[in-house]
Amino acid sequence: MNYMRYLCLIITLLVLPFSFSFAQQKSDALTIYSTSLYGFVQEELYPMIAESLFDAEEAPSVDEFIALAKKIDQQVQDHLKGQETSLDASDISEAVAMRKALLVQLSEAYMERAEGLSAEEKSAFFQQYLVQLGILDDLTNLNDDLSRSLMMALHYSLEIPFGMPNTRVEEFILSREEPMRESLKAAMVMNEMVMLSGGYEVSERLVKQFVAEYPQSVHLPNMMEDLKGLERLRTGAQVTDFEFKDLTGSTVRLSDYQDKIIYLDLWASWCGPCIQTFKTKTPDFEKKLVGLDDIVLMYVSVDEKEESWKNYLDKNPMNGVHLFAGQGFEAEIMRYFKVWGIPRYLILGKGNKILQVNAPRPGDEAYEALIEIGEGVE
């Protein structure tokens, strides 16, 4: 058994419900509660989970693990009761969603640990887990974090890589009985608005379909609010004029490149997938674009420190325009484009107008998209 693998997995999963919420504004009271819950999970719950999942020679049975999850759920609820006097109704609703997201992520840790489970058994377990933990019961606040947690775990239970285009997830959801069908379908739609894999237009279409099917759904307020927040990301919308620093310390505005087609790469020196792409894909991609003066490769770092950004580029020089936004996921550009993970690629047309809010990574598909766009504006 690879103990370190499971250790890293559990730690990662237990912090996901807290890290997912970077894009959501919290009240001061909810921020304090979130911090205290994070500490409670790490200090009190993690040892229980670690003992059950990887200290034991074998994974617990499904029934044993569900019993453990119920015990953890009760402890988290008790933790909330101890602080709920400082929270208003909206904060408590968010705290409940946070608890449910944590429980969903815990189910994924079990499926990873229980290596002997077949795909069918994982799917059956996940449904049983949702029902017995009551995760979809009285679900009045299906927020972004919980939606994404549900979709990640559902993908895992069906042995489908998260984010990979497929039809099986939707087919599975449509085959469920109500009310599970409605809740999972709402989570699927809201997760698409988080992922933005098809851009604003796909999200808008999915929301309209959901509204037509469930016109009285309790999930509509959150869904419509999320969609409204994406309107600025419509194809053709003009992007706000962000300011960055370049390698000389000078201020650079996005509008300085409004006469160019911009392939925008959001990255950080600590991001493993970003660096891997730089090493394996970016060099050939840059070579193919040499001589195409209308196209600019713009690399915007969200490293917390300028020094980290500059040190990486000193040791690993690249072509293109290199700019610094800083602030990690709190950077204005990250919030504007609702970026939940990096690397993230976008294509902006001339006039700094959105063409692809979730563009292909460097490679043939991205090259062909840029060439097609360039031909279309000639």
Side-chain angles (χ1 to χ4, degrees):
M1 184 192 308
N2 189 333
Y3 290 98
M4 286 306 299
R5 174 188 174 194
Y6 293 120
L7 174 61
C8 293
L9 173 77
I10 292 172
I11 291 175
T12 300
L13 290 176
L14 286 178
V15 302
L16 278 174
F18 306 97
S19 60
F20 282 179
S21 59
F22 69 86
Q24 297 180 356
Q25 298 292 333
K26 296 190 185 80
S27 68
D28 290 343
L30 185 58
T31 299
I32 293 171
Y33 170 73
S34 300
T35 302
S36 72
L37 180 58
Y38 176 80
F40 178 72
V41 167
Q42 294 294 304
E43 295 173 13
E44 302 294 333
L45 301 187
Y46 168 71
M48 294 170 51
I49 299 165
E51 180 181 6
S52 174
L53 286 186
F54 67 81
D55 287 352
E57 193 166 319
E58 295 183 355
S61 68
V62 167
D63 289 340
E64 289 171 338
F65 184 75
I66 288 178
L68 172 65
K70 288 181 177 179
K71 182 178 179 181
I72 290 170
D73 184 25
Q74 187 59 57
Q75 291 194 24
V76 175
Q77 290 190 56
D78 291 343
H79 183 78
L80 172 60
K81 288 179 182 178
Q83 301 188 45
E84 61 185 0
T85 55
S86 64
L87 304 174
D88 62 22
S90 177
D91 289 339
I92 291 174
S93 179
E94 288 296 321
V96 170
M98 191 182 300
R99 170 177 63 84
K100 293 192 174 192
L102 186 151
L103 291 172
V104 172
Q105 293 295 336
L106 190 57
S107 75
E108 190 174 341
Y110 176 71
M111 288 185 280
E112 172 74 12
R113 175 64 179 87
E115 298 173 306
L117 293 181
S118 66
E120 292 76 13
E121 289 170 330
K122 288 178 184 176
S123 175
F125 157 74
F126 186 56
Q127 293 177 77
Q128 180 182 352
Y129 185 87
L130 291 178
V131 172
Q132 293 199 22
L133 270 294
I135 290 171
L136 303 181
D137 295 347
D138 301 319
L139 189 55
T140 58
N141 183 22
L142 180 60
N143 63 12
D144 293 349
D145 296 352
L146 180 52
S147 296
R148 187 162 180 255
S149 297
L150 284 165
M151 288 300 102
M152 287 181 71
L154 179 54
H155 276 73
Y156 197 92
S157 74
L158 297 173
E159 298 187 343
I160 301 171
F162 183 63
M164 177 177 288
N166 70 91
T167 59
R168 286 177 53 206
V169 169
E170 185 171 9
E171 289 169 356
F172 174 87
I173 291 172
L174 294 179
S175 68
R176 299 307 97 192
E177 295 183 357
E178 301 291 7
M180 180 180 288
R181 181 181 186 276
E182 176 186 347
S183 294
L184 290 180
K185 190 167 185 181
M188 181 184 72
V189 173
M190 294 186 68
N191 180 66
E192 171 58 34
M193 288 192 278
V194 173
M195 299 284 287
L196 276 177
S197 55
Y200 174 85
E201 287 71 22
V202 169
S203 294
E204 183 182 40
R205 174 173 55 79
L206 291 174
V207 169
K208 287 180 177 179
Q209 291 174 351
F210 186 87
V211 171
E213 188 171 2
Y214 298 102
Q216 303 301 320
S217 176
V218 69
H219 306 305
L220 289 183
N222 280 4
M223 195 176 292
M224 300 309 294
E225 182 179 355
D226 279 5
L227 184 64
K228 184 177 180 180
L230 296 179
E231 287 181 353
R232 65 171 178 258
L233 304 183
R234 287 177 180 271
T235 300
Q238 186 164 14
V239 177
T240 194
D241 196 11
F242 293 106
E243 287 188 358
F244 310 103
K245 287 185 179 179
D246 66 13
L247 287 166
T248 69
S250 298
T251 298
V252 176
R253 302 180 72 93
L254 189 63
S255 59
D256 294 341
Y257 295 88
Q258 62 182 340
D259 61 338
K260 302 292 185 181
I261 298 167
I262 300 172
Y263 183 79
L264 180 60
D265 184 335
L266 299 172
W267 71 286
S269 63
W270 48 259
C271 166
C274 301
I275 304 308
Q276 181 67 16
T277 300
F278 286 163
K279 292 179 178 178
T280 60
K281 301 290 185 182
T282 300
D284 288 341
F285 186 59
E286 289 181 342
K287 289 177 183 177
K288 294 181 75 171
L289 294 174
V290 170
L292 300 176
D293 295 336
D294 271 354
I295 299 173
V296 169
L297 298 179
M298 182 178 288
Y299 301 95
V300 176
S301 166
V302 294
D303 276 294
E304 296 287 348
K305 297 180 180 178
E306 275 190 62
E307 183 180 4
S308 301
W309 167 58
K310 289 182 176 179
N311 285 345
Y312 180 83
L313 292 176
D314 283 344
K315 297 175 183 177
N316 305 275
M318 298 188 295
N319 296 327
V321 176
H322 292 280
L323 304 172
F324 182 76
Q327 297 184 296
F329 286 99
E330 297 297 325
E332 184 183 0
I333 192 170
M334 299 287 272
R335 288 185 172 277
Y336 185 90
F337 287 117
K338 296 189 176 293
V339 178
W340 57 268
I342 53 175
R344 174 71 172 274
Y345 310 99
L346 303 94
I347 297 177
L348 307 182
K350 293 187 177 183
N352 297 156
K353 294 182 178 180
I354 293 173
L355 295 182
Q356 293 190 24
V357 76
N358 202 340
R361 66 179 54 207
D364 291 342
E365 187 179 355
Y367 173 77
E368 291 167 5
L370 289 167
I371 294 302
E372 183 177 351
I373 291 166
E375 292 174 346
V377 297
E378 288 180 356

